[in-house]
Structures are given as structure tokens and as C-alpha cells.
Amino acid sequence: MNPNNYQVLVVEDDAQILKFICYLLDNEGLSYITAGSGQAALSKLVSEYIDVVLLDLGLPDFDGMDVIKKVREWSDMPIIVVSARDQDKEKAAALDSGADDYLTKPFSATELLARIRVALRHISKQGNQAARAVLSVGDLQLDLEKRLVYLDGAELHMTPMEYNLLALLFKNVGKVLTTASIIKEIWGVGYGTDTQALRALMAGLRRKIEKNPAKPRYILTETGIGYRLVDE
């Protein structure tokens, strides 16, 4: 993955934070352009070639959530929210609106760059996934054509629901999926918001793919928000 092939849009109205982020991107060899408002961001998105968006929610003209929703009307480019809002319900709302990741201010340089690398790897995989029958994360493999799952080369028995859940996570590897979005995809829009069935399904899946379900390697819990399949 060559960072010079990608361009980041940084949407941030705080001059100090913007300067810090730009410094990190320069050191990483990433190209970037900046916007200090929601309207400026949308203008750049339609006039420039953008691969990843770093988005603050507290913009001077309108809320960053509106930027997410507008972008999702026409693009699935990775959006990483970088915001001072630290409530779980706000994080979940941003992710349900279409954000791929959420980083709370203040943040470390290491953490921000790691999130950007995950987003860039996701981009590089997207073009290949449609043609690939088998997806892999570490020693865990999922065969899309045969609907089979393998761990260390051995086939695992999966119920249809367990397979559907794992396939959903594989198709969004590295991305936080909220409990609400998972429930909607697995059980349908009319199921409601009860998370008990999802917790039970996740526990059963983890018992099959994790050596130690109490300390999972593959499917991580984002407390108060949802789950993420690690991008190794």
C-alpha cells in the first residue's frame, strides 16, 4: 500500500488540531486537502478526488452528521469521525449514519494513523473482494460461494445465523458496526432494538472462532456501540 496514491480530506475548524493532523499526514507521506466548514467539505468532495475523510462534527455552519448523511447518498468512501463528543449514543448515531470509525479528542498520533491505515487497507481490498470467493483475517477464512468457514484450515460448523453475522462482519472488516445496524441486517427492520438475541448469537459465534472467547482476537466489542472484526 503506497500512501502517495491516496488523498485525505481533513474537515476541521480548530486551527491547532488541524495543524497537528496535517503534520501527522505529512510525516506519513499522505496527500491531503482541508476544509473548515461543512459546506467547504461538500464542495471539496464533489470537485476533488478524495479517498478518506477525517471529519469533525462540531462545524461552524452545520453539524458534521449532516455531512455524513449527504456523502452516503452517493459514496461509500471511508469516513473517520474525529470529535470531542464522547457519549456512546453520539458515537452510535454517527456510525449508524454511515461513518466507518470514531475517534474521540484528544487522540494520540499513533491511534489516528492506525485508523487511517485501516481505512486505506479497506479501500485497497474493496476492488478485489467482488472477485474473491474466499476472504481471510488471520487464520480465519470465509468462503462466500460455498458459505463455509475455516479456522486454521479446519472447517467449522456454523448455523445460518452465525454465518450471516460473520459474513456481515467480514464484508465490513475493520469497521465498527453498531448493534442497531447489525440487528437490522440480520433480523430485519421490524425486529426492534432488543439486543439479547444478538448477544447470544455473538457468544455462540465467538465460542467457535476464538481460542479464548473472554479475550477475543477476531471480533472485538466496542463498549456501548457495537462490534468490529479486526483488520490484521
Side-chain angles (χ1 to χ4, degrees):
M1 182 179 69
N2 185 351
N4 294 317
N5 294 335
Y6 299 99
Q7 180 156 258
V8 179
L9 172 62
V10 185
V11 188
E12 175 62 66
D13 66 325
D14 186 304
Q16 293 278 53
I17 295 176
L18 178 61
K19 183 177 180 181
F20 176 59
I21 293 175
C22 291
Y23 170 78
L24 296 178
L25 297 177
D26 276 328
N27 281 356
E28 192 73 2
L30 280 164
S31 299
Y32 61 87
I33 56 177
T34 66
S37 68
Q39 190 57 57
L42 293 173
S43 296
K44 295 287 179 66
L45 283 163
V46 299
S47 62
E48 304 280 350
Y49 188 87
I50 307 296
D51 295 291
V52 178
V53 180
L54 297 183
L55 176 66
D56 182 24
L57 295 182
L59 300 173
D61 51 354
F62 53 83
D63 197 279
M65 294 281 285
D66 294 324
V67 176
I68 297 172
K69 293 172 183 177
K70 288 181 181 295
V71 172
R72 285 294 173 255
E73 291 176 0
W74 55 273
S75 174
D76 61 355
M77 71 176 65
I79 299 174
I80 303 172
V81 171
V82 183
S83 175
R85 301 178 191 176
D86 60 359
Q87 297 297 311
D88 287 345
K89 63 179 182 180
E90 292 176 322
K91 296 178 183 179
L95 293 164
D96 279 334
S97 294
D100 294 85
D101 210 341
Y102 198 110
L103 190 59
T104 304
K105 298 176 183 176
F107 54 86
S108 71
T110 301
E111 188 172 15
L112 177 62
L113 292 174
R115 304 292 180 93
I116 293 173
R117 291 188 196 104
V118 168
L120 294 179
R121 283 198 296 271
H122 188 63
I123 292 171
S124 66
K125 290 176 180 178
Q126 280 180 332
N128 298 324
Q129 277 194 357
R132 290 171 57 201
V134 179
L135 306 179
S136 300
V137 172
D139 296 320
L140 185 64
Q141 292 184 317
L142 182 127
D143 189 318
L144 292 170
E145 287 186 358
K146 298 179 181 178
R147 291 179 61 88
L148 297 176
V149 178
Y150 301 90
L151 181 63
D152 293 324
E155 182 181 338
L156 300 180
H157 172 71
M158 291 278 159
T159 68
M161 294 291 281
E162 287 170 345
Y163 175 86
N164 290 342
L165 175 57
L166 187 59
L168 177 64
L169 291 164
F170 256 101
K171 292 172 183 176
N172 294 276
V173 62
K175 177 179 178 179
V176 181
L177 296 181
T178 65
T179 53
S181 68
I182 295 173
I183 290 170
K184 180 180 177 182
E185 289 293 329
I186 300 297
W187 284 279
V189 293
Y191 181 81
T193 58
D194 184 8
T195 61
Q196 183 175 353
L198 175 57
R199 291 197 299 270
L201 183 62
M202 184 63 72
L205 178 58
R206 278 176 165 162
R207 283 194 293 270
K208 293 180 178 181
I209 69 172
E210 304 284 2
K211 292 182 179 179
N212 183 357
K215 295 182 179 179
R217 170 189 175 187
Y218 293 108
I219 303 175
L220 305 184
T221 300
E222 299 288 341
T223 304
I225 303 173
Y227 301 93
R228 179 202 305 260
L229 179 66
V230 297
D231 185 2
E232 294 186 334

PDB file of all heavy atoms in Angstrom, residues 168-195:
ATOM      1  N   LEU A 168     -21.372 -10.630   7.511  1.00  0.00           N
ATOM      2  CA  LEU A 168     -21.593  -9.190   7.621  1.00  0.00           C
ATOM      3  C   LEU A 168     -20.348  -8.496   8.168  1.00  0.00           C
ATOM      4  O   LEU A 168     -19.929  -7.446   7.656  1.00  0.00           O
ATOM      5  CB  LEU A 168     -22.797  -8.921   8.535  1.00  0.00           C
ATOM      6  CG  LEU A 168     -23.119  -7.452   8.818  1.00  0.00           C
ATOM      7  CD1 LEU A 168     -23.526  -6.728   7.539  1.00  0.00           C
ATOM      8  CD2 LEU A 168     -24.233  -7.354   9.862  1.00  0.00           C
ATOM      9  N   LEU A 169     -19.728  -9.084   9.176  1.00  0.00           N
ATOM     10  CA  LEU A 169     -18.514  -8.510   9.755  1.00  0.00           C
ATOM     11  C   LEU A 169     -17.353  -8.565   8.754  1.00  0.00           C
ATOM     12  O   LEU A 169     -16.576  -7.615   8.639  1.00  0.00           O
ATOM     13  CB  LEU A 169     -18.142  -9.244  11.040  1.00  0.00           C
ATOM     14  CG  LEU A 169     -19.099  -9.027  12.209  1.00  0.00           C
ATOM     15  CD1 LEU A 169     -18.874 -10.075  13.293  1.00  0.00           C
ATOM     16  CD2 LEU A 169     -18.944  -7.627  12.782  1.00  0.00           C
ATOM     17  N   PHE A 170     -17.229  -9.669   8.021  1.00  0.00           N
ATOM     18  CA  PHE A 170     -16.164  -9.796   7.026  1.00  0.00           C
ATOM     19  C   PHE A 170     -16.301  -8.744   5.933  1.00  0.00           C
ATOM     20  O   PHE A 170     -15.308  -8.194   5.459  1.00  0.00           O
ATOM     21  CB  PHE A 170     -16.180 -11.191   6.403  1.00  0.00           C
ATOM     22  CG  PHE A 170     -15.101 -12.101   6.917  1.00  0.00           C
ATOM     23  CD1 PHE A 170     -15.380 -13.070   7.858  1.00  0.00           C
ATOM     24  CD2 PHE A 170     -13.797 -11.977   6.462  1.00  0.00           C
ATOM     25  CE1 PHE A 170     -14.396 -13.918   8.331  1.00  0.00           C
ATOM     26  CE2 PHE A 170     -12.796 -12.805   6.925  1.00  0.00           C
ATOM     27  CZ  PHE A 170     -13.097 -13.788   7.869  1.00  0.00           C
ATOM     28  N   LYS A 171     -17.530  -8.486   5.513  1.00  0.00           N
ATOM     29  CA  LYS A 171     -17.744  -7.506   4.457  1.00  0.00           C
ATOM     30  C   LYS A 171     -17.493  -6.078   4.928  1.00  0.00           C
ATOM     31  O   LYS A 171     -17.412  -5.151   4.103  1.00  0.00           O
ATOM     32  CB  LYS A 171     -19.170  -7.642   3.905  1.00  0.00           C
ATOM     33  CG  LYS A 171     -19.386  -8.948   3.145  1.00  0.00           C
ATOM     34  CD  LYS A 171     -20.843  -9.150   2.772  1.00  0.00           C
ATOM     35  CE  LYS A 171     -21.054 -10.500   2.086  1.00  0.00           C
ATOM     36  NZ  LYS A 171     -22.486 -10.763   1.800  1.00  0.00           N
ATOM     37  N   ASN A 172     -17.368  -5.907   6.243  1.00  0.00           N
ATOM     38  CA  ASN A 172     -17.088  -4.591   6.820  1.00  0.00           C
ATOM     39  C   ASN A 172     -15.866  -4.658   7.719  1.00  0.00           C
ATOM     40  O   ASN A 172     -15.794  -3.982   8.748  1.00  0.00           O
ATOM     41  CB  ASN A 172     -18.296  -4.097   7.613  1.00  0.00           C
ATOM     42  CG  ASN A 172     -19.495  -3.815   6.740  1.00  0.00           C
ATOM     43  OD1 ASN A 172     -19.624  -2.745   6.166  1.00  0.00           O
ATOM     44  ND2 ASN A 172     -20.383  -4.803   6.618  1.00  0.00           N
ATOM     45  N   VAL A 173     -14.868  -5.469   7.329  1.00  0.00           N
ATOM     46  CA  VAL A 173     -13.704  -5.692   8.167  1.00  0.00           C
ATOM     47  C   VAL A 173     -13.028  -4.365   8.540  1.00  0.00           C
ATOM     48  O   VAL A 173     -12.865  -3.469   7.706  1.00  0.00           O
ATOM     49  CB  VAL A 173     -12.703  -6.636   7.469  1.00  0.00           C
ATOM     50  CG1 VAL A 173     -12.172  -6.040   6.176  1.00  0.00           C
ATOM     51  CG2 VAL A 173     -11.557  -7.004   8.406  1.00  0.00           C
ATOM     52  N   GLY A 174     -12.686  -4.231   9.810  1.00  0.00           N
ATOM     53  CA  GLY A 174     -12.047  -3.027  10.301  1.00  0.00           C
ATOM     54  C   GLY A 174     -13.004  -1.924  10.680  1.00  0.00           C
ATOM     55  O   GLY A 174     -12.613  -0.939  11.291  1.00  0.00           O
ATOM     56  N   LYS A 175     -14.277  -2.089  10.338  1.00  0.00           N
ATOM     57  CA  LYS A 175     -15.274  -1.047  10.578  1.00  0.00           C
ATOM     58  C   LYS A 175     -16.117  -1.396  11.795  1.00  0.00           C
ATOM     59  O   LYS A 175     -16.490  -2.554  11.991  1.00  0.00           O
ATOM     60  CB  LYS A 175     -16.177  -0.898   9.349  1.00  0.00           C
ATOM     61  CG  LYS A 175     -17.291   0.113   9.497  1.00  0.00           C
ATOM     62  CD  LYS A 175     -18.107   0.208   8.220  1.00  0.00           C
ATOM     63  CE  LYS A 175     -19.265   1.178   8.359  1.00  0.00           C
ATOM     64  NZ  LYS A 175     -20.049   1.311   7.119  1.00  0.00           N
ATOM     65  N   VAL A 176     -16.421  -0.393  12.611  1.00  0.00           N
ATOM     66  CA  VAL A 176     -17.314  -0.599  13.745  1.00  0.00           C
ATOM     67  C   VAL A 176     -18.750  -0.676  13.234  1.00  0.00           C
ATOM     68  O   VAL A 176     -19.213   0.231  12.542  1.00  0.00           O
ATOM     69  CB  VAL A 176     -17.208   0.549  14.766  1.00  0.00           C
ATOM     70  CG1 VAL A 176     -18.150   0.284  15.943  1.00  0.00           C
ATOM     71  CG2 VAL A 176     -15.783   0.700  15.266  1.00  0.00           C
ATOM     72  N   LEU A 177     -19.437  -1.763  13.566  1.00  0.00           N
ATOM     73  CA  LEU A 177     -20.853  -1.899  13.236  1.00  0.00           C
ATOM     74  C   LEU A 177     -21.647  -1.763  14.531  1.00  0.00           C
ATOM     75  O   LEU A 177     -21.391  -2.473  15.499  1.00  0.00           O
ATOM     76  CB  LEU A 177     -21.140  -3.260  12.598  1.00  0.00           C
ATOM     77  CG  LEU A 177     -20.461  -3.537  11.248  1.00  0.00           C
ATOM     78  CD1 LEU A 177     -20.874  -4.912  10.736  1.00  0.00           C
ATOM     79  CD2 LEU A 177     -20.812  -2.471  10.230  1.00  0.00           C
ATOM     80  N   THR A 178     -22.610  -0.867  14.556  1.00  0.00           N
ATOM     81  CA  THR A 178     -23.408  -0.678  15.761  1.00  0.00           C
ATOM     82  C   THR A 178     -24.368  -1.853  15.936  1.00  0.00           C
ATOM     83  O   THR A 178     -24.704  -2.557  14.970  1.00  0.00           O
ATOM     84  CB  THR A 178     -24.219   0.626  15.703  1.00  0.00           C
ATOM     85  OG1 THR A 178     -25.180   0.527  14.647  1.00  0.00           O
ATOM     86  CG2 THR A 178     -23.314   1.828  15.464  1.00  0.00           C
ATOM     87  N   THR A 179     -24.800  -2.047  17.174  1.00  0.00           N
ATOM     88  CA  THR A 179     -25.750  -3.127  17.428  1.00  0.00           C
ATOM     89  C   THR A 179     -27.025  -2.925  16.615  1.00  0.00           C
ATOM     90  O   THR A 179     -27.585  -3.894  16.085  1.00  0.00           O
ATOM     91  CB  THR A 179     -26.089  -3.198  18.926  1.00  0.00           C
ATOM     92  OG1 THR A 179     -26.527  -1.908  19.374  1.00  0.00           O
ATOM     93  CG2 THR A 179     -24.882  -3.612  19.743  1.00  0.00           C
ATOM     94  N   ALA A 180     -27.465  -1.678  16.489  1.00  0.00           N
ATOM     95  CA  ALA A 180     -28.694  -1.402  15.731  1.00  0.00           C
ATOM     96  C   ALA A 180     -28.543  -1.789  14.266  1.00  0.00           C
ATOM     97  O   ALA A 180     -29.457  -2.369  13.667  1.00  0.00           O
ATOM     98  CB  ALA A 180     -29.064   0.073  15.854  1.00  0.00           C
ATOM     99  N   SER A 181     -27.381  -1.473  13.672  1.00  0.00           N
ATOM    100  CA  SER A 181     -27.180  -1.793  12.256  1.00  0.00           C
ATOM    101  C   SER A 181     -27.081  -3.298  12.041  1.00  0.00           C
ATOM    102  O   SER A 181     -27.571  -3.826  11.037  1.00  0.00           O
ATOM    103  CB  SER A 181     -25.933  -1.087  11.719  1.00  0.00           C
ATOM    104  OG  SER A 181     -24.748  -1.603  12.295  1.00  0.00           O
ATOM    105  N   ILE A 182     -26.448  -4.010  12.984  1.00  0.00           N
ATOM    106  CA  ILE A 182     -26.334  -5.469  12.863  1.00  0.00           C
ATOM    107  C   ILE A 182     -27.708  -6.118  12.972  1.00  0.00           C
ATOM    108  O   ILE A 182     -28.064  -7.001  12.180  1.00  0.00           O
ATOM    109  CB  ILE A 182     -25.380  -6.034  13.932  1.00  0.00           C
ATOM    110  CG1 ILE A 182     -23.954  -5.519  13.708  1.00  0.00           C
ATOM    111  CG2 ILE A 182     -25.393  -7.568  13.900  1.00  0.00           C
ATOM    112  CD1 ILE A 182     -22.985  -5.891  14.813  1.00  0.00           C
ATOM    113  N   ILE A 183     -28.481  -5.684  13.971  1.00  0.00           N
ATOM    114  CA  ILE A 183     -29.829  -6.234  14.152  1.00  0.00           C
ATOM    115  C   ILE A 183     -30.673  -6.013  12.899  1.00  0.00           C
ATOM    116  O   ILE A 183     -31.398  -6.906  12.440  1.00  0.00           O
ATOM    117  CB  ILE A 183     -30.500  -5.607  15.388  1.00  0.00           C
ATOM    118  CG1 ILE A 183     -29.816  -6.122  16.660  1.00  0.00           C
ATOM    119  CG2 ILE A 183     -31.994  -5.919  15.418  1.00  0.00           C
ATOM    120  CD1 ILE A 183     -30.231  -5.399  17.917  1.00  0.00           C
ATOM    121  N   LYS A 184     -30.584  -4.827  12.319  1.00  0.00           N
ATOM    122  CA  LYS A 184     -31.345  -4.514  11.111  1.00  0.00           C
ATOM    123  C   LYS A 184     -30.956  -5.431   9.960  1.00  0.00           C
ATOM    124  O   LYS A 184     -31.815  -5.925   9.214  1.00  0.00           O
ATOM    125  CB  LYS A 184     -31.113  -3.057  10.720  1.00  0.00           C
ATOM    126  CG  LYS A 184     -31.851  -2.618   9.468  1.00  0.00           C
ATOM    127  CD  LYS A 184     -31.559  -1.161   9.151  1.00  0.00           C
ATOM    128  CE  LYS A 184     -32.230  -0.728   7.863  1.00  0.00           C
ATOM    129  NZ  LYS A 184     -31.918   0.682   7.527  1.00  0.00           N
ATOM    130  N   GLU A 185     -29.647  -5.684   9.796  1.00  0.00           N
ATOM    131  CA  GLU A 185     -29.173  -6.522   8.690  1.00  0.00           C
ATOM    132  C   GLU A 185     -29.508  -7.996   8.898  1.00  0.00           C
ATOM    133  O   GLU A 185     -29.842  -8.702   7.947  1.00  0.00           O
ATOM    134  CB  GLU A 185     -27.658  -6.354   8.523  1.00  0.00           C
ATOM    135  CG  GLU A 185     -27.228  -5.012   7.978  1.00  0.00           C
ATOM    136  CD  GLU A 185     -27.659  -4.803   6.538  1.00  0.00           C
ATOM    137  OE1 GLU A 185     -27.737  -5.798   5.790  1.00  0.00           O
ATOM    138  OE2 GLU A 185     -27.920  -3.657   6.160  1.00  0.00           O
ATOM    139  N   ILE A 186     -29.407  -8.474  10.147  1.00  0.00           N
ATOM    140  CA  ILE A 186     -29.574  -9.904  10.416  1.00  0.00           C
ATOM    141  C   ILE A 186     -31.044 -10.286  10.581  1.00  0.00           C
ATOM    142  O   ILE A 186     -31.510 -11.295  10.037  1.00  0.00           O
ATOM    143  CB  ILE A 186     -28.788 -10.320  11.673  1.00  0.00           C
ATOM    144  CG1 ILE A 186     -27.281 -10.045  11.478  1.00  0.00           C
ATOM    145  CG2 ILE A 186     -29.015 -11.800  11.986  1.00  0.00           C
ATOM    146  CD1 ILE A 186     -26.640 -10.830  10.357  1.00  0.00           C
ATOM    147  N   TRP A 187     -31.812  -9.469  11.315  1.00  0.00           N
ATOM    148  CA  TRP A 187     -33.197  -9.829  11.622  1.00  0.00           C
ATOM    149  C   TRP A 187     -34.233  -9.002  10.859  1.00  0.00           C
ATOM    150  O   TRP A 187     -35.400  -9.356  10.847  1.00  0.00           O
ATOM    151  CB  TRP A 187     -33.449  -9.704  13.120  1.00  0.00           C
ATOM    152  CG  TRP A 187     -32.871 -10.836  13.908  1.00  0.00           C
ATOM    153  CD1 TRP A 187     -33.417 -12.081  14.080  1.00  0.00           C
ATOM    154  CD2 TRP A 187     -31.632 -10.853  14.630  1.00  0.00           C
ATOM    155  NE1 TRP A 187     -32.592 -12.859  14.865  1.00  0.00           N
ATOM    156  CE2 TRP A 187     -31.493 -12.131  15.219  1.00  0.00           C
ATOM    157  CE3 TRP A 187     -30.629  -9.904  14.847  1.00  0.00           C
ATOM    158  CZ2 TRP A 187     -30.394 -12.473  16.004  1.00  0.00           C
ATOM    159  CZ3 TRP A 187     -29.542 -10.252  15.621  1.00  0.00           C
ATOM    160  CH2 TRP A 187     -29.418 -11.520  16.190  1.00  0.00           C
ATOM    161  N   GLY A 188     -33.804  -7.882  10.251  1.00  0.00           N
ATOM    162  CA  GLY A 188     -34.744  -7.062   9.501  1.00  0.00           C
ATOM    163  C   GLY A 188     -35.196  -5.844  10.281  1.00  0.00           C
ATOM    164  O   GLY A 188     -35.045  -5.756  11.499  1.00  0.00           O
ATOM    165  N   VAL A 189     -35.775  -4.882   9.564  1.00  0.00           N
ATOM    166  CA  VAL A 189     -36.112  -3.590  10.145  1.00  0.00           C
ATOM    167  C   VAL A 189     -37.228  -3.687  11.177  1.00  0.00           C
ATOM    168  O   VAL A 189     -37.350  -2.837  12.056  1.00  0.00           O
ATOM    169  CB  VAL A 189     -36.524  -2.580   9.047  1.00  0.00           C
ATOM    170  CG1 VAL A 189     -35.344  -2.257   8.165  1.00  0.00           C
ATOM    171  CG2 VAL A 189     -37.681  -3.136   8.212  1.00  0.00           C
ATOM    172  N   GLY A 190     -38.050  -4.715  11.116  1.00  0.00           N
ATOM    173  CA  GLY A 190     -39.172  -4.806  12.036  1.00  0.00           C
ATOM    174  C   GLY A 190     -38.873  -5.504  13.334  1.00  0.00           C
ATOM    175  O   GLY A 190     -39.757  -5.679  14.174  1.00  0.00           O
ATOM    176  N   TYR A 191     -37.619  -5.907  13.549  1.00  0.00           N
ATOM    177  CA  TYR A 191     -37.277  -6.705  14.730  1.00  0.00           C
ATOM    178  C   TYR A 191     -37.326  -5.893  16.012  1.00  0.00           C
ATOM    179  O   TYR A 191     -37.687  -6.390  17.068  1.00  0.00           O
ATOM    180  CB  TYR A 191     -35.889  -7.324  14.558  1.00  0.00           C
ATOM    181  CG  TYR A 191     -35.485  -8.183  15.737  1.00  0.00           C
ATOM    182  CD1 TYR A 191     -35.956  -9.493  15.844  1.00  0.00           C
ATOM    183  CD2 TYR A 191     -34.653  -7.698  16.739  1.00  0.00           C
ATOM    184  CE1 TYR A 191     -35.604 -10.289  16.918  1.00  0.00           C
ATOM    185  CE2 TYR A 191     -34.301  -8.492  17.819  1.00  0.00           C
ATOM    186  CZ  TYR A 191     -34.775  -9.776  17.903  1.00  0.00           C
ATOM    187  OH  TYR A 191     -34.428 -10.563  18.973  1.00  0.00           O
ATOM    188  N   GLY A 192     -36.956  -4.640  15.953  1.00  0.00           N
ATOM    189  CA  GLY A 192     -36.897  -3.828  17.164  1.00  0.00           C
ATOM    190  C   GLY A 192     -35.472  -3.582  17.612  1.00  0.00           C
ATOM    191  O   GLY A 192     -34.522  -3.739  16.839  1.00  0.00           O
ATOM    192  N   THR A 193     -35.307  -3.228  18.890  1.00  0.00           N
ATOM    193  CA  THR A 193     -33.985  -2.830  19.392  1.00  0.00           C
ATOM    194  C   THR A 193     -33.461  -3.736  20.492  1.00  0.00           C
ATOM    195  O   THR A 193     -32.447  -3.429  21.113  1.00  0.00           O
ATOM    196  CB  THR A 193     -34.047  -1.391  19.931  1.00  0.00           C
ATOM    197  OG1 THR A 193     -35.044  -1.320  20.971  1.00  0.00           O
ATOM    198  CG2 THR A 193     -34.403  -0.411  18.812  1.00  0.00           C
ATOM    199  N   ASP A 194     -34.134  -4.862  20.757  1.00  0.00           N
ATOM    200  CA  ASP A 194     -33.684  -5.778  21.798  1.00  0.00           C
ATOM    201  C   ASP A 194     -32.372  -6.428  21.377  1.00  0.00           C
ATOM    202  O   ASP A 194     -32.284  -7.061  20.318  1.00  0.00           O
ATOM    203  CB  ASP A 194     -34.755  -6.848  22.038  1.00  0.00           C
ATOM    204  CG  ASP A 194     -34.386  -7.776  23.185  1.00  0.00           C
ATOM    205  OD1 ASP A 194     -33.393  -7.504  23.877  1.00  0.00           O
ATOM    206  OD2 ASP A 194     -35.099  -8.788  23.372  1.00  0.00           O
ATOM    207  N   THR A 195     -31.331  -6.287  22.207  1.00  0.00           N
ATOM    208  CA  THR A 195     -30.001  -6.785  21.850  1.00  0.00           C
ATOM    209  C   THR A 195     -29.705  -8.167  22.418  1.00  0.00           C
ATOM    210  O   THR A 195     -28.618  -8.705  22.183  1.00  0.00           O
ATOM    211  CB  THR A 195     -28.916  -5.810  22.346  1.00  0.00           C
ATOM    212  OG1 THR A 195     -28.998  -5.704  23.780  1.00  0.00           O
ATOM    213  CG2 THR A 195     -29.109  -4.433  21.730  1.00  0.00           C
TER     214      THR A 195
END
